[in-house]
Amino acid sequence: MITRPRAGAGFSRRQFVTGLTGFGLAACTNLQPDTPLSAATDASAIPPAAASRYALTIDTCPWTIGRKTGRGFTVNGSVPAPTLRWREGDDMVLDVINRLDAPTSIHWHGIRLPANMDGVPGVSFAGVPAKGSFTYRFPVRQSGTYWYHSHSGMQEAQGLFGALVIDPMGAPLHHPDRDYVMVLSDWSDVAPHDIISNLKQQDDYYNFRQRTVASLFREARESGLGNAIDNRLMWSHMRMSATDISDVSGVIYTYLINGQSPDANWTGVFRPGERIRLRVINASAMTLFDFRIPGLSFDVIAADGQDVEPVRVDEFRIAPAETYDVIVQPTDGRAWTIFAQSEDRTGFARGTLAPQKGMAGPVPPMDPRPVRSMVDMGMGRMSGMSGMSGMSGMSGMSGMSGMSGMSGMSGMSGMSGMSG
């Protein structure tokens, strides 16, 4: 978790477009009568009471964000899937009906359960066959914030994910006045199989923000021309890019909160002085987010479903599949912007906490574009690296020094210590 001072930055054209993506259709119209949820159209809504049995029907429908439409996988007609509320100590029964022409699955992420109920096909679970069904049965031995998602055919990247809220067996540790789920995700109308195919052919296919001659002059002013050129040559020898932060960027991704685009402005209502619990879940395919509420600090009270000693922060970074629970207490009756920018600063998800629907706070500029250094690559103590060649994909480089003149190192993989 990080608490750095805020730094201003201007909007690029791409960032401007990302902020105006329009409204996302967070639910399809094919609600099934067998669902126990009374309102499956709001994926962020926490059911008023826990249930020990659910009927979940998996289907598909068009999913529109702004002016673009892709394929969405639904659970009980909702994309993202509806929030499920369980209770510690209950024996869960979940009847999954698959209406797809292909197999599907549900993995209960972070839940301790029998291996044959885990939901990952090919391990100890056969999957839910096309036009078939499967009943999950397992006891609930934990509480907290978790999530569930498909492990079949990249369906997760197209909306087949949802939140899990598990009530503790005894008295809860915290008693907020409001409780909201906030599911972060990345969405594209480009099929995920096509995205993977493009990356396999060119690993920086979606990296449109390469360093240029103009930035070389700026780096030369900061560190000297020789150092700036050496740095460029070093990255070139490794066949890597210092600006390749995310494999897939805002070039084709729109970043969502609870299935809604930035301009749709998902809103959580509050009264000034109330304590609000936000259950933040990163259900994205591959995006890391930096999450903050400009002007407000908040307490992190849980991580990956586990209660922690409250920690006051201004911002935290959340990776795919992670969850953080926070308590925030706005005292002013105005709109507060919820801002989650992608690690590579090519786009953001945005929502609002406000006294009433329809209000919106100012959207802050994104932070400056990050550029990796050799320290980020685990090579902070390396020296004398001029003349290196053929070093594409090197491995285990942390702490190495005196590597002048090295060559013929192609074929090594998995550089340790990479970070944003």
Side-chain angles (χ1 to χ4, degrees), residues 125-376:
F125 174 76
V128 185
K131 305 299 183 183
S133 63
F134 180 82
T135 298
Y136 291 87
R137 301 177 187 270
F138 52 84
V140 180
R141 299 189 176 96
Q142 62 207 96
S143 62
T145 302
Y146 301 90
W147 66 302
Y148 64 102
H149 58 88
S150 171
H151 251 287
S152 303
M154 297 191 183
Q155 296 163 4
E156 175 192 349
Q158 296 171 284
L160 215 170
F161 54 80
L164 289 176
V165 175
I166 308 178
D167 298 333
M169 186 181 298
L173 188 60
H174 301 278
H175 299 271
D177 300 296
R178 308 269 180 171
D179 198 333
Y180 292 116
V181 164
M182 302 201 64
V183 182
L184 306 175
S185 61
D186 41 30
W187 178 90
S188 177
D189 61 320
V190 179
H193 292 86
D194 292 339
I195 293 175
I196 294 298
S197 176
N198 290 335
L199 289 174
K200 285 184 176 180
Q201 296 177 65
Q202 182 180 337
D203 59 2
D204 62 349
Y205 188 91
Y206 298 105
N207 180 13
F208 285 17
R209 306 177 76 185
Q210 304 279 358
R211 293 191 291 182
T212 64
V213 173
S215 62
L216 174 64
F217 292 147
R218 182 176 63 252
E219 293 163 11
R221 289 194 298 269
E222 295 173 354
S223 61
L225 180 59
N227 289 332
I229 293 176
D230 283 347
N231 182 268
R232 297 287 181 104
L233 290 175
M234 191 182 303
W235 284 99
S236 178
H237 289 151
M238 293 188 298
R239 300 179 187 175
M240 300 179 71
S241 168
T243 60
D244 192 7
I245 307 298
S246 300
D247 287 336
V248 185
S249 69
V251 170
I252 62 166
Y253 270 158
T254 299
Y255 302 109
L256 312 178
I257 292 180
N258 295 327
Q260 299 188 35
S261 63
D263 202 45
N265 190 28
W266 177 90
T267 301
V269 175
F270 72 93
R271 293 188 181 93
E274 287 184 327
R275 299 173 72 249
I276 307 166
R277 181 174 189 155
L278 301 178
R279 302 173 184 264
V280 186
I281 302 167
N282 188 349
S284 67
M286 59 179 69
T287 302
L288 284 80
F289 292 99
D290 289 331
F291 180 97
R292 72 179 190 262
I293 303 174
L296 284 179
S297 297
F298 43 82
D299 293 325
V300 177
I301 60 170
D304 294 330
Q306 306 300 305
D307 292 327
V308 299
E309 191 72 25
V311 179
R312 177 63 57 91
V313 300
D314 296 319
E315 180 178 14
F316 61 81
R317 174 165 292 178
I318 183 168
E322 291 183 335
T323 74
Y324 286 107
D325 291 32
V326 306
I327 295 286
V328 61
Q329 189 172 17
T331 55
D332 297 340
R334 62 182 178 89
W336 297 88
T337 298
I338 298 167
F339 191 69
Q341 59 183 332
S342 64
E343 182 189 21
D344 65 353
R345 311 299 186 243
T346 58
F348 58 86
R350 166 251 188 168
T352 300
L353 293 176
Q356 62 185 25
K357 298 283 187 178
M359 299 180 67
V363 179
M366 283 187 285
D367 289 347
R369 176 192 68 177
V371 177
R372 290 198 199 279
S373 68
M374 288 299 117
V375 173
D376 297 321

Side-chain angles (χ1 to χ4, degrees), residues 27-96:
C28 302
T29 58
N30 56 339
L31 294 180
Q32 308 302 330
D34 54 358
T35 172
L37 302 179
S38 59
T41 55
D42 184 359
S44 67
I46 300 175
S52 60
R53 181 155 195 157
Y54 287 87
L56 306 174
T57 299
I58 297 177
D59 210 333
T60 186
C61 75
W63 189 9
T64 299
I65 299 292
R67 297 183 179 90
K68 295 184 177 181
T69 299
R71 189 186 190 194
F73 287 87
T74 68
V75 174
N76 293 346
S78 176
V79 52
T83 297
L84 306 183
R85 186 172 181 179
W86 300 348
R87 181 173 43 246
E88 183 182 14
D90 282 358
D91 291 320
M92 294 303 305
V93 178
L94 301 113
D95 300 307
V96 176

